[in-house]
Amino acid sequence: MKPLKNKLFFTAATLLLLCIMSTAFAESVVIKRDRIFIADRGLVVKNLDTGQINQCTAPPLLDPAGRDVTQLLNTATDVVIKHDYAIVTVHPLDGNGNPFVDTVTVDVSNCFEVKTVNVDACISTVDIQQGLMIIPCVEINGSYVTVHMDRRGKSDNWEVTFLGDNIHMKHYKRHHDHDDDDDDD
């Protein structure tokens, strides 16, 4: 009888651990880049900086195959963002009217603004004769500046003479691939 009790205890402990682990990966609120995703009987997105509702998830919400899944999100409770997709936990009813747990994948690529910068705005130039070098896209602590450097006499030494914001890079945020790792999603 003792082995049966141990087996039941082990099974119950394993199921409890699995339940706890499964809830640790999904949350009802997730922050990804500069967006807040909220799963609460639907999928709402807000701008992190302003708190304003973002219209990037206005219906129709599409799955990766292009099917409208808006109505499937009426029972949404949890969300995980992976790359350009929201995986949303839903609780629909089966044929007998009993709720069960399922997931719906939603394409949220519209939520992540991609700012493009014309390559001409970042081409460095140098005039050896005049002793002037301009480097327009230098990243310093997450901001992008333009640097002007003057040559010191006829030497190979240069010194910074101007450091200022690059207007072409204003509000540009580089997307880092590690943002899509599983540890913070």
Side-chain angles (χ1 to χ4, degrees):
M1 194 66 165
K2 187 171 184 163
L4 181 60
K5 282 185 181 181
N6 286 342
K7 196 173 201 179
L8 286 174
F9 175 77
F10 178 75
T11 303
T14 302
L15 287 174
L16 179 65
L17 182 61
L18 287 174
C19 289
I20 291 170
M21 285 178 51
S22 68
T23 60
F25 294 115
E27 300 290 336
S28 60
V29 176
V30 172
I31 297 174
K32 185 68 170 188
R33 297 186 207 158
D34 59 348
R35 301 288 183 252
I36 304 168
F37 292 83
I38 304 166
D40 185 22
R41 293 179 300 243
L43 185 61
V44 176
V45 180
K46 291 185 173 187
N47 292 329
L48 180 62
D49 298 329
T50 65
Q52 297 295 316
I53 291 181
N54 189 302
Q55 296 300 317
C56 66
T57 56
L61 295 173
L62 305 177
D63 69 4
R67 293 181 298 259
D68 185 356
V69 294
T70 306
Q71 293 302 315
L72 298 175
L73 299 175
N74 290 337
T75 59
T77 57
D78 299 300
V79 63
V80 173
I81 305 297
K82 187 66 176 169
H83 301 290
D84 288 340
Y85 297 101
I87 295 81
V88 183
T89 304
V90 294
H91 304 274
L93 301 177
D94 65 14
N96 296 325
N98 299 316
F100 67 98
V101 178
D102 200 359
T103 60
V104 175
T105 302
V106 180
D107 182 346
V108 292
S109 58
N110 290 338
C111 296
F112 303 116
E113 181 180 335
V114 177
K115 179 176 180 169
T116 58
V117 176
N118 188 333
V119 72
D120 291 341
C122 285
I123 293 178
S124 299
T125 57
V126 64
D127 184 338
I128 298 291
Q129 299 301 330
Q130 294 292 322
L132 175 65
M133 183 177 352
I134 300 173
I135 311 168
C137 296
V138 178
E139 181 181 6
I140 298 176
N141 297 327
S143 295
Y144 295 90
V145 298
T146 296
V147 176
H148 291 205
M149 300 182 80
D150 287 340
R151 189 172 180 185
R152 288 185 172 171
K154 300 260 185 222
S155 74
D156 289 334
N157 297 323
W158 296 78
E159 65 182 335
V160 174
T161 57
F162 173 80
L163 182 72
D165 289 335
N166 183 321
I167 60 168
H168 300 288
M169 301 292 285
K170 190 172 183 137
H171 303 298
Y172 175 81
K173 292 182 182 176
R174 184 172 57 180
H175 169 67
H176 299 285
D177 287 337
H178 64 78
D179 286 347
D180 291 323
D181 288 344
D182 290 329
D183 57 355
D184 290 332
D185 289 350

